[in-house]
């Protein structure tokens, strides 16, 4: 079976897209982990009754 040049190019672009998408998801997870860790580190400076989640920190979608 012979594959045309345009199909080979499309496959190459799709591979780049899926690699970038996987990297993006990994970075989102790392960012969320760092955000949670920072929130916990900052939380130790507040009394337990004032440790409510901030409303401005929306989870990364």
């Amino acid at each position: 079976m012979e594959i045309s040049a345009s199909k080979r190019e499309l496959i190459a672009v799709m591979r780049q897209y899926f690699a970038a998408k996987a990297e993006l998801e990994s970075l989102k997870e790392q960012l969320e982990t760092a955000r949670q860790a920072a929130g916990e580190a900052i939380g130790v400076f507040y009394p337990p009754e004032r440790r409510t989640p901030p409303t401005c920190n929306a989870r990364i979608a």
Side-chain angles (χ1 to χ4, degrees):
M1 177 164 81
E2 195 171 312
I3 299 174
S4 68
S6 64
K7 285 186 180 180
R8 273 187 253 124
E9 290 174 14
L10 175 60
I11 291 169
V13 168
M14 290 176 70
R15 284 182 178 158
Q16 287 178 319
Y17 167 79
F18 287 113
K21 185 177 179 183
E23 183 179 5
L24 175 63
E25 291 304 317
S26 174
L27 291 171
K28 281 183 178 181
E29 290 174 11
Q30 291 176 36
L31 182 59
E32 181 62 20
T33 300
R35 186 194 67 77
Q36 288 176 0
E40 291 171 8
I42 292 169
V44 299
F45 296 102
Y46 295 94
E49 64 274 3
R50 294 200 58 210
R51 290 185 195 168
T52 57
T55 57
C56 62
N57 272 345
R59 191 162 198 277
I60 300 167

